[in-house]
Amino acid sequence: MPDVDAVNSGYARVLLEEYLENPEAVPSEWRALFESGDGDLIEALPGLARLLETLRETNGHATSTPAPAPAPPAEPAAAPADDELLGGVAAAMSLVKALRTHGHLAARLDPLGSEPVGDPALEPERLQPKLTPELQARIPASLLRVHTPGETLADVLPTLQETYSSTSAYEIEHISDHEQRIWLREAIESGRYRRQLTADEKKRLLARLSEVEGLERYLRRVFLGQKQFSVEGLDTMIPMLDEAIDLAAEAGAHEVVIGMAHRGRLNVLAHVIGRPYETILREFEGERTIEAVTSDPEGGTGDVKYHLGAEGVRSTPAGDLTVTLAANPSHLEAVDPVVEGRTRAEQTDRSTREGRHDPRVALPVLIHGDAAFPAQGIVAETLNLAELEGYSTGGTLHLIANNQIGFTTDPVEGRSTRYSSDLAKGFDFPIIHVNADDAEACIAAVRLGMAYRRRFQNDVVIDLVGYRRHGHNEQDEAAYTQPLMAARIAQQATAREQYVADLVEEGVLSEADAEALARQVETKLKEAHQRLKESFARAVASEGRIPFGTGAEVVTAVAADRLRELDRSLVTAPERFTIHPKLKKQLDRRAEALEQGGIDWGQGESLAFASLLVDGIPIRLTGQDTERGTFSHRHDVLHDVETGETYTPIQHLAEAQASFELFNSPLSEAAAMGFEYGYSVAAPEALVLWEAQFGDFVNNAQGIVDQFIVAGLSKWGQTSRLTLLLPHGYEGNGPEHSSARLERFLQLAAQENIRIANPTTAAQYFHLVRRQALDPAARPLVVMTPKGLLRLKQASSTLAELAEGAFKPVLDDSGADKAQVRRLVLCSGKMYYDLSGHELRGSAGHVAIARIEQLYPFPVEEKNALLASYPSLAEVVWAQEEPQNMGPWRAIRHRLEEKLPEGVRLRYVGRPWRASPSEGYPTAHLREQDRIVREALA
């Protein structure tokens, strides 16, 4: 039996403190003692009775225990403790813990009135002993560590039940950080963020709900049958965004970046971004007459109306700020990392060397679907970025637009968790559930969430539980698959109607006042629509073409002396910084390579980056193992082998005028690449690069490539300089580590939307990187980067090639006797070195080998000039190591056939059509590579 007398009373006090905080944290025998209420046991342990009495007197907090004094004379035995009261205190503690942990199970969260499941631990009469009203009145509230005013449990319990189990509910006890849990408990139980709205605030809230409902009803009535993905059933989402924006401005933000799918998007465009009604009505008119969109001076849109992005300036009590709604495809959660990247770019001061990050500058808001949040993997990938140094945005406000259904899929068919928000528990984010029909509770939820974000710079999730009034879209019949829900919704008063009833009952306004508000909204919409129709006759049509490249010549050469100076800085570490001996030898050789030739890929890249930084071009380089490089070629971050400290020389260039951000990414592709795309869109002056560990890893980000990188310009007029570095080349490493799926990028290339290159020398890469940063026409760049060529002597370059050269889309065979050449072998990338270094090359004087370094936009003029320079040409061979249905062949064949000299035929040499990119066994790979080269040279 535990001894709580004499010298052990201090220990018992500590254990009781822990028990009050978390009963599971104390040993089982002590927990049993605290909860037993055994009178005989307490009588035998008078120290415990005194300890409980002391805690009552000190408001439930332990006081410092002085050093034990000599044992006093024996005292009379303490009076027997009140068994019922002691047990009641333990039961009350359990009840408070249950309310905090499971109160949400009894909350009235569903606007459609479904009964909450409840939990026996939340029912006072089912505890042992039963917490009857009489016993509740005897239990001091001070022992329970609650933050609700009242003297006894009877006083505080109704407020606690209303706090944790009403139209709002909370999940916070899973959070591992003690300080955050304590702060949240106090903030929730004190009601600090649930203050009553003033009469003027209530009227403004009703006015906003009237605008939200009015827009949806007008569009549905006037444009019958057109898709609008109405927000109705989640109307309060709009005033919630209003509140978040005001609070963000109050906290110092200059920008709010919002990402969302289609539901409610038109209302966000009109009432959150502030787009005129005419611009939204124009999109609907455009489905009826082409003149409606072609009369827009900016040209016709390339996407449906509920995917479009926008930007507006909002006036708030704290000042003006910019609100951006990111353009989004139908891949519901694909925009999540894009928003995070855009926000990070806004928060970053790129005039500082390391890119100083201030999360107060911008707030990211992500509006998720209840079916998509738990089901789409990119959500988890994005949540994982939240607290990473290179990706944190100081806390995202996540708002789940919870329709309680997918398209036609019920929650029990779409997720394995109770709530759609449960995924967030794994990342220690607090979750606030709120009934979407309780407008004032929704505002309070945002206030609490924003206060938490401001205090802890961490993400917060609000689960806005509502419904979908008109099916998945306005053409859909929800009653086919959810007849009972559809019937219930048809009877449900709207959020506005319910709030009007509340305000009329409170005497804030009259029914007539509310009706007048609704009429004002409709009048405003009608007037905007009439102005739009009148504008059609006056407008001048525009073709709305995608702007092609500028064709500007970019100087990419850098003076030799400047490169020498930069190279010294790039290999210089502080005194007493011990670089790994093997790496130090490699870095020491760079100075020699600069003067004698042999500049390898890593050195060429570092010089390109450094030369851009001193010219004021910010750079952000992230990716999988990027600080060192998958193939140990970069080493931009040095590690002290004795202390473990790190040093990044490129961030300490004396003349640098811009930031160099360098981070290893998580082992993620979709979210990591989406983040960098978003960053690059918001920072058009910066060179943003993402590197895959192996090129085929890009497969897992195909949605980001398809929906944003290659199509963003066509759909939304949005482009960037995002550069993808994808290791590519067949070296016997099997199907998954050979191909970066070059063919997919070539298939997606059109209208000069992207650039694709497969450079073969360090100098070519140097000039390519600099051209990408300096070209006035920003386009994404996809680079097939090498693996084995990184240190290949033949692929290295000289200082003169960096100081005097430029990127060349086509490289001719410098050693060919053009008059004798009968066959011209064209290739790209590593294949060139397999051909030029083969044993047959020396005896194949009739063959010239040229390289296509830029595959898109295809260098038509350079290719034609190359062919014309061989007067005796009889055959052109395209040689590639990829299978015939992969690689460049099928995308560029028509370009190779164009303007072939008369009598010259075109032939393919490479792997045959295959389902898998390459062989699995190294010996099979070597045999196939040798066959391809022999066929090309024979």
Side-chain angles (χ1 to χ4, degrees):
M1 179 184 298
D3 181 6
V4 296
D5 289 305
V7 296
N8 282 337
S9 62
Y11 175 59
R13 184 186 301 275
V14 171
L15 285 178
L16 186 54
E17 280 282 308
E18 291 185 9
Y19 173 81
L20 293 173
E21 171 63 31
N22 180 9
E24 304 300 323
V26 301
S28 58
E29 65 271 18
W30 284 92
R31 186 165 65 250
L33 175 62
F34 294 146
E35 296 176 355
S36 67
D38 186 333
D40 294 337
L41 185 60
I42 298 302
E43 185 175 355
L45 301 170
L48 177 58
R50 289 196 302 271
L51 182 56
L52 288 170
E53 185 61 34
T54 301
L55 284 170
R56 293 189 192 100
E57 294 170 358
T58 58
N59 198 28
H61 295 276
T63 56
S64 57
T65 305
E75 298 178 1
D82 185 324
D83 296 355
E84 184 183 42
L85 179 59
L86 185 60
V89 170
M93 292 174 179
S94 296
L95 178 60
V96 170
K97 180 176 176 61
L99 282 167
R100 289 169 171 168
T101 306
H102 302 300
H104 56 89
L105 296 175
R108 302 182 301 280
L109 298 175
D110 183 5
L112 302 180
S114 64
E115 279 297 311
V117 295
D119 189 288
L122 301 172
E123 301 176 35
E125 295 286 339
R126 298 183 65 171
L127 300 177
Q128 289 296 325
K130 292 181 178 180
L131 290 176
T132 62
E134 294 76 19
L135 181 55
Q136 291 180 30
R138 297 177 59 203
I139 298 172
S142 59
L143 286 178
L144 305 179
R145 288 184 162 186
V146 296
H147 305 280
T148 301
E151 295 297 321
T152 67
L153 175 62
D155 297 331
V156 301
L157 183 57
T159 304
L160 286 174
Q161 290 172 325
E162 181 66 17
T163 296
Y164 285 107
S165 301
S166 62
T167 53
S168 297
Y170 310 90
E171 292 187 87
I172 61 172
E173 295 301 318
H174 59 276
I175 297 174
S176 59
D177 185 276
H178 177 78
E179 182 186 1
Q180 291 186 27
R181 287 198 311 274
I182 297 301
W183 185 93
L184 283 163
R185 288 173 191 162
E186 192 278 332
I188 292 166
E189 293 170 13
S190 68
R192 192 189 323 156
Y193 301 103
R194 293 199 313 275
R195 68 169 178 80
Q196 282 289 320
L197 300 184
T198 66
D200 285 343
E201 288 173 330
K202 291 173 184 282
K203 290 176 182 178
R204 284 198 295 272
L205 177 53
L206 176 61
R208 180 58 100 195
L209 290 173
S210 300
E211 291 174 334
V212 171
E213 185 178 289
L215 174 62
E216 301 291 0
R217 288 188 170 185
Y218 184 85
L219 293 176
R220 188 168 57 258
R221 185 177 72 250
V222 175
F223 302 103
L224 187 64
Q226 288 197 34
K227 295 179 182 179
Q228 65 192 68
F229 295 99
S230 164
V231 77
E232 291 165 283
L234 294 168
D235 308 59
T236 48
M237 183 172 74
I238 306 303
M240 291 172 78
L241 292 174
D242 291 337
E243 185 73 14
I245 290 167
D246 286 351
L247 292 172
E250 183 182 295
H254 304 303
E255 179 149 358
V256 173
V257 185
I258 302 174
M260 66 184 299
H262 37 268
R263 184 156 315 285
R265 193 180 190 92
L266 299 180
N267 233 299
V268 171
L269 284 168
H271 298 129
V272 179
I273 306 299
R275 294 295 297 272
Y277 285 146
E278 289 91 329
T279 63
I280 293 168
L281 294 168
R282 182 186 299 277
E283 297 297 329
F284 282 87
E285 287 288 355
E287 292 194 19
R288 303 199 297 200
T289 166
I290 191 64
E291 287 77 12
V293 286
T294 57
S295 63
D296 187 337
E298 297 180 5
T301 178
D303 205 347
V304 292
K305 52 189 171 289
Y306 36 82
H307 290 170
L308 300 177
E311 184 177 290
V313 176
R314 284 272 299 235
S315 294
T316 75
D320 291 351
L321 86 170
T322 301
V323 183
T324 300
L325 176 64
N328 189 42
S330 277
H331 288 70
L332 299 178
E333 301 288 340
V335 79
D336 295 355
V338 176
V339 165
E340 300 293 344
R342 290 187 72 139
T343 306
R344 176 69 181 227
E346 297 296 341
Q347 295 172 342
T348 302
D349 181 357
R350 287 178 291 280
S351 66
T352 61
R353 291 183 180 179
E354 73 286 355
R356 188 176 299 116
H357 176 227
D358 183 356
R360 295 172 300 177
V361 170
L363 167 71
V365 178
L366 291 177
I367 302 173
H368 309 273
D370 58 305
F373 190 82
Q376 302 257 314
I378 199 169
V379 176
E381 289 189 28
T382 303
L383 296 180
N384 185 53
L385 302 176
E387 296 192 61
L388 302 182
E389 180 186 0
Y391 299 87
S392 171
T393 53
T396 298
L397 177 62
H398 299 272
L399 201 160
I400 298 177
N402 191 341
N403 299 304
Q404 304 188 73
I405 192 171
F407 192 149
T408 64
T409 302
D410 289 319
V412 294
E413 300 169 308
R415 64 174 186 260
S416 296
T417 57
R418 179 180 297 278
Y419 297 116
S420 59
S421 57
D422 284 346
L423 173 67
K425 289 182 181 178
F427 296 92
D428 263 11
F429 300 154
I431 300 168
I432 306 168
H433 303 280
V434 63
N435 185 317
D437 274 3
D438 188 339
E440 294 189 15
C442 292
I443 300 299
V446 171
R447 289 176 176 168
L448 174 62
M450 290 295 291
Y452 171 84
R453 192 249 182 192
R454 186 172 183 175
R455 173 67 178 80
F456 295 104
Q457 295 191 356
N458 202 6
D459 290 30
V460 62
V461 177
I462 299 177
D463 177 22
L464 180 64
V465 185
Y467 55 90
R468 194 181 62 195
R469 187 165 285 276
H470 299 292
H472 179 66
N473 61 60
E474 287 64 30
Q475 300 173 359
D476 188 49
E477 177 51 78
Y480 288 159
T481 51
Q482 278 77 30
L484 300 183
M485 177 184 270
R488 178 67 186 85
I489 290 171
Q491 300 170 2
Q492 179 80 357
T494 67
R496 175 191 166 277
E497 291 167 347
Q498 293 181 52
Y499 198 49
V500 166
D502 292 341
L503 297 191
V504 170
E505 184 178 345
E506 293 173 19
V508 174
L509 47 65
S510 66
E511 288 277 5
D513 295 331
E515 286 304 314
L517 276 175
R519 286 196 300 272
Q520 288 172 17
V521 173
E522 182 167 9
T523 299
K524 189 175 179 182
L525 282 160
K526 286 180 177 178
E527 291 174 350
H529 201 171
Q530 185 59 36
R531 288 193 300 271
L532 172 67
K533 291 177 178 178
E534 291 171 357
S535 73
F536 294 162
R538 299 192 303 269
V540 178
S542 168
E543 294 183 31
R545 270 192 200 127
I546 295 174
F548 284 91
T550 62
E553 289 294 327
V554 179
V555 177
T556 57
V558 179
D561 287 342
R562 169 56 66 90
L563 291 174
R564 291 188 183 96
E565 181 182 344
L566 292 173
D567 191 68
R568 283 192 294 272
S569 299
L570 290 169
V571 295
T572 301
E575 291 185 24
R576 295 185 292 278
F577 189 96
T578 308
I579 302 173
H580 193 287
K582 288 170 62 177
L583 177 57
K584 190 171 189 315
K585 289 179 182 178
Q586 296 176 39
L587 297 177
D588 289 344
R589 282 199 295 268
R590 287 190 173 184
E592 179 182 329
L594 210 62
E595 301 303 331
Q596 299 179 14
I599 298 171
D600 64 18
W601 208 270
Q603 186 176 8
E605 179 189 75
S606 294
L607 290 170
F609 290 160
S611 66
L612 291 169
L613 293 174
V614 298
D615 286 341
I617 306 295
I619 298 172
R620 177 179 166 90
L621 171 62
T622 66
Q624 296 161 337
D625 310 293
T626 291
E627 292 181 359
R628 190 201 77 168
T630 300
F631 309 102
S632 197
H633 72 286
R634 182 173 289 121
H635 295 288
D636 279 345
V637 178
L638 305 177
H639 296 255
D640 190 310
V641 295
E642 296 181 357
T643 67
E645 294 179 1
T646 61
Y647 181 76
T648 307
I650 198 169
Q651 290 180 336
H652 295 83
L653 299 176
E655 298 181 51
Q657 304 295 315
S659 61
F660 185 83
E661 298 178 73
L662 175 64
F663 299 102
N664 286 335
S665 77
L667 195 58
S668 156
E669 290 80 35
M673 187 190 293
F675 187 100
E676 303 309 332
Y677 174 80
Y679 191 108
S680 67
V681 168
E685 82 287 4
L687 176 63
V688 181
L689 308 98
W690 179 80
E691 182 175 57
Q693 189 180 95
F694 285 89
D696 60 280
F697 285 25
V698 77
N699 287 346
N700 295 322
Q702 195 64 45
I704 299 297
V705 173
D706 292 351
Q707 303 293 342
F708 292 94
I709 294 176
V710 302
L713 179 60
S714 177
K715 293 192 293 187
W716 312 311
Q718 174 177 291
T719 189
S720 76
R721 297 183 192 277
L722 179 62
T723 299
L724 306 182
L725 306 179
L726 308 178
H728 174 85
Y730 284 49
E731 298 176 359
N733 290 318
E736 272 67 62
H737 287 340
S738 295
S739 174
R741 297 292 186 174
L742 174 58
E743 64 279 355
R744 292 183 181 169
F745 293 100
L746 289 168
Q747 180 191 41
L748 296 167
Q751 298 177 286
E752 293 192 16
N753 60 335
I754 58 173
R755 299 171 181 136
I756 304 171
N758 195 1
T760 55
T761 71
Q764 283 282 87
Y765 180 54
F766 171 90
H767 291 295
L768 179 66
V769 167
R770 284 184 49 80
R771 187 186 74 173
Q772 175 67 359
L774 298 171
D775 193 326
R779 294 290 187 277
L781 169 65
V782 180
V783 186
M784 300 289 112
T785 56
K787 294 172 285 185
L789 306 191
L790 292 171
R791 297 178 188 81
L792 185 70
K793 182 178 180 181
Q794 293 88 333
S796 64
S797 300
T798 65
L799 179 60
E801 289 172 322
L802 275 58
E804 302 168 8
F807 177 76
K808 298 176 181 177
V810 175
L811 292 179
D812 198 357
D813 189 335
S814 59
D817 182 348
K818 297 202 170 190
Q820 301 299 317
V821 169
R822 301 277 296 164
R823 179 188 301 165
L824 175 62
V825 177
L826 297 176
C827 62
S828 186
K830 168 188 157 289
M831 191 70 207
Y832 169 76
Y833 295 101
D834 291 345
L835 290 162
S836 62
H838 195 271
E839 61 184 9
L840 292 183
R841 180 68 184 108
S843 60
H846 64 295
V847 177
I849 307 172
R851 290 165 269 180
I852 306 295
E853 300 277 290
Q854 179 175 294
L855 293 162
Y856 188 83
F858 191 84
V860 175
E861 294 181 5
E862 290 88 344
K863 185 268 300 184
N864 291 339
L866 175 71
L867 294 181
S869 69
Y870 289 92
S872 305
L873 201 59
E875 181 183 38
V876 173
V877 169
W878 174 259
Q880 67 178 40
E881 51 189 358
E882 300 91 348
Q884 189 170 355
N885 55 315
M886 303 179 195
W889 168 246
R890 299 181 72 198
I892 67 171
R893 178 176 180 176
H894 67 289
R895 293 295 191 185
L896 300 177
E897 290 173 335
E898 289 174 358
K899 295 192 177 180
L900 271 178
E902 188 175 350
V904 176
R905 71 186 184 112
L906 176 66
R907 183 163 61 93
Y908 166 84
V909 173
R911 283 175 171 78
W913 286 57
R914 294 267 176 86
S916 179
S918 74
E919 302 77 20
Y921 294 99
T923 50
H925 158 78
L926 291 172
R927 186 182 301 117
E928 185 65 358
Q929 289 290 110
D930 185 66
R931 179 196 66 77
I932 294 170
V933 173
R934 288 181 180 277
E935 185 177 342
L937 296 177

